[in-house]
Amino acid sequence: MLSNLSIKNYALIDHLNVSFTEGFTCITGETGAGKSILLGGLSLVLGKRADLNALREKDQKCVIEAEFEIAKYKLKSFFKTNDLDYEDRTILRREILPSGKSRAFINDTPITLDVMSQLGARLIDVHSQHQTLNLATNDFQLKVIDALAGNKTFLEDYKNKLSSYKSYSKELKNLVEFQANANKEHDYNSFLLEELESAGLKLGMQEELEAQYEQLNNVEGIIEQLSQGERLLNDEQIGLITLLNELKLVATKLSGFGSQYADLNERIQSVFIEMDDIASEFVAFQDQIEPNPHLLEEVGNKLQLLFNLQKKHAVSDIEALLQIKSELEEKVSVTENLEANIKATETALATAKKALLEAANMLRERRIKVVPKLKKQLEASLDLLGMSSATFKIEITEAADFNAVGKDDLTFLFSANKGSDYGELKKVASGGELSRIMLTIKAILAKYEHLPTMMFDEIDTGVSGEISNKMGDIMLEMSKTMQVFSITHLPQVASKGKHHFKVFKKDEDNITHTEMKKLSDDERVVELAEMLGGKDLSDSALAHARQLLN
């Protein structure tokens, strides 16, 4: 519900601040008084593009604020999605700077114009004679039928299944496209993988092979050094073992002359044991090593294979080759399993399509069931509005493809007069007829779903007093479940309002201002009398005004 509207420095409005309450509110005023200015200002906080020419004082910014009570609108998810602070009393603010820049805010948080427009559309619906084009669209017409059919949960179910169906369709398309390209690469990838697998790659193997190659390639020198080492250790004349044996005897004899000599003896004994063990290893190494040209060639070939693979794949180590091997394994595996994946996805797609078709058929059945009810309500309401010969032809048939709200083709035709051919609303209905049809449809929708605040802008233009009286009754009935505004020139409509505001011009210091005030009961009588008979008030006009209010 719109609870407050503040407009500063906009067109003829210097500063306007007005509060509203629930129910039916009528707004009147002479032609040119500024009712359209009021709507223009309101439209800015609903996301309309700003015009710098709208600034009253060109060197000051224009600020428009609209406060809404939104507790009943179930908008918390919208605020969460757009990272906004939710408040039951939410303020939409728009600022137009003298530079021409425009800023938008929701509860003091800067937002884009698109977000403001999305929220505005959920809070208030401004409708005029010139805004009936959506009435002729199938989307809007189906929305009306779905409201009567109570299809909200069925639509959500359909949309979930449509999303699943589209997901499988996209997955299958991608798989088929991938298969077409993968088949071309499969043989080459398999060859590369086999080449890497035959190399027996393992982390650390290159270092091991390089060390083994170094030993095999220098085996003669290693044998020579081992032999020399053994001679130095075991020679009977000058060998270290022989000399250590003699030293060991000396130390043994000294050990009995004090603890310090005993310690020295233990150290020499340890050195002898260690050197004796080293001498044994020199002998063992000599027994183990021998020239092996065949093994040298084999190790050299393995190393060359690794170097060739690294060069081929433009890497420098075994780890990188193993990563490439893993990637090739995945590619080859995916390609080899692709046919099975495609068949599995085709099966899943068929199942999703079947479920989607069932959901679409359920929607169609429910829609067809309420068509007679909608037709009857429309024609009965239009009869009250002076369109007694108006009839509709509404048919729902299965469409060729799925769409966002089902699989239906809707034919929604209208005839205003007996004997006239049926045609599309936008082609055969006049502006006044479209306005009455839209009012009727909005009234029907109000019974089945919670509509936002409704603002009717002079939709009663060009209709008779009796018909306008009926239009006023419809708007009054709608206001029992929602907030309704009507900007009107007709006293019959204005008298129905629970609240009555007047828009008027006021001259101060040779400057014209547009202002707005809420009328008291006595002021309403005068306003209605002027609407009936002009500025020169007559007793009969005043009496008629009181009669309308009563």
Side-chain angles (χ1 to χ4, degrees):
M1 181 186 83
L2 177 62
S3 57
N4 190 266
L5 179 64
S6 171
I7 301 176
K8 296 179 181 178
N9 196 38
Y10 179 75
L12 294 179
I13 298 174
D14 181 31
H15 184 193
L16 176 69
N17 188 68
V18 59
S19 296
F20 302 107
T21 55
E22 59 187 3
F24 186 23
T25 298
C26 289
I27 300 174
T28 61
E30 295 179 0
T31 300
K35 299 187 294 298
S36 60
I37 295 174
L38 183 71
L39 275 180
L42 180 61
S43 69
L44 288 177
V45 291
L46 300 180
K48 184 182 176 182
R49 294 288 173 186
D51 183 358
L52 189 58
N53 293 325
L55 269 63
R56 179 178 177 83
E57 298 292 339
K58 303 301 181 184
D59 59 343
Q60 299 179 26
K61 69 179 179 180
C62 164
V63 181
I64 297 156
E65 285 188 352
E67 182 178 319
F68 291 88
E69 295 178 10
I70 63 171
K72 297 178 181 178
Y73 288 10
K74 299 179 180 179
L75 291 172
K76 288 183 179 179
S77 61
F78 176 90
F79 279 72
K80 184 177 181 180
T81 299
N82 291 284
D83 198 24
L84 295 168
D85 294 329
Y86 175 84
E87 300 287 346
D88 284 345
R89 283 182 170 268
T90 283
I91 297 177
L92 278 66
R93 185 171 84 253
R94 189 79 179 277
E95 297 179 357
I96 306 171
L97 307 180
S99 63
K101 291 184 178 180
S102 168
R103 299 187 297 188
F105 303 85
I106 294 177
N107 292 332
D108 287 331
T109 300
I111 44 92
T112 64
L113 208 55
D114 181 57
V115 173
M116 173 168 272
S117 179
Q118 290 179 42
L119 181 59
R122 301 186 183 199
L123 298 179
I124 189 164
D125 182 357
V126 179
H127 175 70
S128 70
Q129 266 204 347
H130 308 293
Q131 294 171 313
T132 52
L133 291 180
N134 62 341
L135 177 60
T137 65
N138 276 5
D139 287 346
F140 180 80
Q141 293 160 358
L142 277 173
K143 180 181 177 182
V144 176
I145 293 171
D146 284 331
L148 266 68
N151 278 345
K152 184 177 180 181
T153 56
F154 293 93
L155 270 172
E156 289 175 356
D157 178 58
Y158 171 84
K159 288 176 180 178
N160 289 335
K161 288 174 178 174
L162 179 64
S163 176
S164 177
Y165 172 75
K166 286 183 175 180
S167 177
Y168 283 123
S169 295
K170 183 178 180 180
E171 183 180 348
L172 180 60
K173 180 183 177 183
N174 290 340
L175 283 172
V176 171
E177 289 178 354
F178 182 78
Q179 185 185 45
N181 295 322
N183 286 339
K184 300 174 185 177
E185 300 176 5
H186 178 66
D187 291 342
Y188 182 59
N189 287 337
S190 297
F191 167 75
L192 292 177
L193 178 60
E194 186 178 348
E195 196 175 44
L196 290 172
E197 286 177 338
S198 64
L201 301 174
K202 288 186 295 185
L203 288 176
M205 69 178 294
Q206 184 169 344
E207 291 78 3
E208 292 176 5
L209 287 171
E210 287 173 344
Q212 188 179 9
Y213 183 85
E214 191 68 18
Q215 289 187 29
L216 289 169
N217 197 40
N218 295 280
V219 67
E220 300 293 342
I222 294 172
I223 290 174
E224 181 181 343
Q225 295 303 316
L226 287 171
S227 176
Q228 175 70 2
E230 184 199 0
R231 188 179 67 79
L232 290 171
L233 287 165
N234 291 323
D235 187 275
E236 291 182 359
Q237 299 298 322
I238 61 169
L240 283 174
I241 299 299
T242 301
L243 295 173
L244 280 172
N245 258 321
E246 293 178 5
L247 182 62
K248 187 171 70 167
L249 290 172
V250 172
T252 301
K253 291 177 181 179
L254 283 171
S255 64
F257 296 105
S259 60
Q260 68 270 32
Y261 301 117
D263 291 341
L264 182 64
N265 178 53
E266 287 182 10
R267 291 171 62 190
I268 291 171
Q269 296 295 335
S270 296
V271 170
F272 177 80
I273 293 169
E274 179 66 18
M275 292 308 298
D276 189 54
D277 185 58
I278 290 172
S280 298
E281 288 200 20
F282 266 84
V283 173
F285 285 149
Q286 287 185 81
D287 292 340
Q288 293 170 8
I289 193 167
E290 59 180 346
N292 191 338
H294 177 71
L295 182 59
L296 176 62
E297 183 181 4
E298 183 180 328
V299 172
N301 290 338
K302 287 183 178 180
L303 277 173
Q304 189 60 49
L305 175 61
L306 292 181
F307 295 145
N308 291 341
L309 288 172
Q310 289 171 5
K311 182 178 180 181
K312 183 173 186 175
H313 293 281
V315 295
S316 58
D317 53 40
I318 296 293
E319 186 176 2
L321 284 177
L322 287 170
Q323 177 63 33
I324 291 170
K325 177 174 172 284
S326 176
E327 292 170 359
L328 285 169
E329 285 173 342
E330 184 177 354
K331 288 180 180 179
V332 170
S333 174
V334 168
T335 305
E336 291 175 347
N337 296 324
L338 207 53
E339 193 64 41
N341 290 341
I342 288 174
K343 287 182 178 178
T345 305
E346 286 175 340
T347 301
L349 178 62
T351 301
K353 184 176 182 180
K354 182 181 178 182
L356 180 61
L357 187 59
E358 289 173 355
N361 289 340
M362 175 63 73
L363 279 173
R364 187 179 313 109
E365 289 172 10
R366 294 178 63 85
R367 287 165 175 168
I368 291 173
K369 190 174 180 180
V370 299
V371 162
K373 181 180 179 181
L374 174 61
K375 174 178 164 65
K376 182 178 180 180
Q377 289 189 25
L378 282 173
E379 291 173 358
S381 296
L382 291 176
D383 184 22
L384 295 175
L385 295 179
M387 296 172 64
S388 57
S389 298
T391 57
F392 292 86
K393 182 183 288 186
I394 306 172
E395 294 179 354
I396 297 174
T397 56
E398 184 174 358
D401 298 310
F402 295 104
N403 57 49
V405 291
K407 194 170 184 284
D408 296 336
D409 280 331
L410 173 64
T411 304
F412 200 103
L413 303 178
F414 171 72
S415 174
N417 303 296
K418 291 180 179 179
S420 298
D421 292 336
Y422 285 94
E424 295 180 28
L425 279 170
K426 61 184 177 182
K427 293 182 178 179
V428 300
S430 67
E433 288 169 341
L434 284 173
S435 291
R436 280 177 271 180
I437 294 170
M438 178 61 91
L439 174 61
T440 297
I441 287 177
K442 294 287 188 181
I444 293 172
L445 279 173
K447 297 176 183 178
Y448 297 94
E449 62 178 36
H450 192 77
L451 295 178
T453 292
M454 188 68 63
M455 177 80 73
F456 292 107
D457 179 21
E458 299 184 358
I459 67 163
D460 48 23
T461 299
V463 299
S464 66
E466 181 56 34
I467 300 304
S468 64
N469 190 52
K470 296 292 184 183
M471 295 178 80
D473 286 336
I474 291 174
M475 287 185 266
L476 181 60
E477 182 65 25
M478 290 175 67
S479 71
K480 292 179 180 179
T481 57
M482 60 187 294
Q483 186 184 38
V484 177
F485 288 87
S486 177
I487 298 175
T488 181
H489 284 295
L490 296 178
Q492 291 86 351
V493 174
S495 65
K496 305 285 183 180
K498 181 179 178 181
H499 319 285
H500 190 157
F501 287 83
K502 181 177 181 178
V503 178
F504 59 95
K505 286 181 179 178
K506 185 177 181 181
D507 293 333
E508 289 183 353
D509 299 326
N510 293 320
I511 298 176
T512 301
H513 303 267
T514 287
E515 297 188 4
M516 182 177 180
K517 65 174 292 189
K518 186 174 183 180
L519 300 181
S520 65
D521 290 344
D522 289 341
E523 288 171 331
R524 286 191 74 181
V525 172
V526 173
E527 175 67 8
L528 291 176
E530 289 183 353
M531 294 172 73
L532 287 163
K535 290 291 185 180
D536 296 327
L537 297 178
S538 65
D539 291 340
S540 61
L542 290 168
H544 190 184
R546 293 189 185 93
Q547 183 181 4
L548 285 174
L549 285 172
N550 290 330

